[in-house]
Amino acid sequence: MTAVIAAAGSGERLGAGGPKAFVPLGGRPMIAWSLDACLGCEAVAGVVVAVPGGHEHGLEGLERVVTVDGGSTRAESVANALAAVDTEYVAIHDAARPLLTPELLQDLVSVLAATPDAAGVIAAAPVTDTVKKVDGNRIAATLDRSELWGAQTPQVFRTDALRAALASHEDATDEAMLVEAAGGTVLLHDPGTPNPKVTTPLDLRVAEMLLADRDL
């Protein structure tokens, strides 16, 4: 498996003043946590990082790590990274989820390898809030949360299936949407441990506390 880390986000909502993936977290650039997890996974042969074009990212020369320029959309960034992938499986991960573990990556690729008719499997967690569908500021419906899961990354795919999905569909908020739209079956896997996305300054503080607890 090759791990692709999407790290080209601007970080505007975080107020980072630069690419989100490279803001300090626990004394290191945020992306360093995901890189460690990917390189620590036995199934990962190498890592491709989609970085902001023109940004001094400091990843040159790292063993088993290749960088490519990110695009103007997520799909473009992932497509650029896929050009450097030659393994049967590919994992797509957001650098903004720094609590990734090698064990989660290994679990995901094992689930996919054991399910020949599936095109992919994603980390996801059951929704615990009551979810409302709205029309303006009016509630139009209350959805059955027992059927709702929140999608996360990493998302692991058979590489050929993801390439075909990217080539035939427009941009989406995650790769599973593209594979689903192309007719592929995508599975869910609960990480079982916190795997939050860092979007706001509060998220950054929470992630730092969770990482500190992990080392205790």
Side-chain angles (χ1 to χ4, degrees):
M1 176 170 64
T2 301
V4 168
I5 300 179
S10 66
E12 287 183 17
R13 285 178 289 178
L14 188 60
K20 177 164 61 174
F22 299 92
V23 302
L25 174 62
R28 314 170 68 197
M30 190 182 339
I31 192 174
W33 300 97
S34 294
L35 274 173
D36 282 356
C38 291
L39 294 171
C41 177
E42 183 178 345
V44 172
V47 182
V48 182
V49 185
V51 298
H55 177 70
E56 294 296 326
H57 44 72
L59 302 179
E60 300 88 348
L62 292 180
E63 187 176 356
R64 293 194 290 145
V65 177
V66 174
T67 61
V68 299
D69 284 344
S72 60
T73 66
R74 180 186 178 88
E76 286 180 9
S77 293
V78 172
N80 290 350
L82 275 180
V85 174
D86 60 4
T87 51
E88 180 180 2
Y89 301 104
V90 60
I92 310 298
H93 184 63
D94 291 331
R97 291 189 187 271
L99 272 79
L100 174 66
T101 65
E103 293 77 16
L104 177 55
L105 275 169
Q106 188 68 51
D107 287 349
L108 289 167
V109 73
S110 296
V111 168
L112 183 55
T115 316
D117 64 335
V121 57
I122 71 170
V127 171
T128 56
D129 292 329
T130 298
V131 179
K132 307 291 186 180
K133 183 178 180 180
V134 301
D135 180 5
N137 68 343
R138 296 174 182 267
I139 295 174
T142 299
L143 305 183
D144 181 359
R145 71 182 180 187
S146 69
E147 299 179 348
L148 300 175
W149 286 59
Q152 303 175 358
T153 66
Q155 303 189 351
V156 177
F157 302 96
R158 300 184 194 279
T159 303
D160 289 345
L162 181 56
R163 278 204 177 99
L166 280 167
S168 59
H169 292 83
E170 297 183 0
D171 198 25
T173 53
D174 77 349
E175 287 64 48
M177 289 177 64
L178 299 174
V179 174
E180 293 162 40
T185 297
V186 181
L187 309 173
L188 297 174
H189 178 76
D190 189 341
T193 58
N195 184 31
K197 185 176 182 180
V198 173
T199 302
T200 68
L202 177 59
D203 297 333
L204 193 66
R205 292 196 293 273
V206 170
E208 191 159 30
M209 288 187 291
L210 290 169
L211 287 167
D213 285 346
R214 179 189 286 177
D215 293 334
L216 294 178

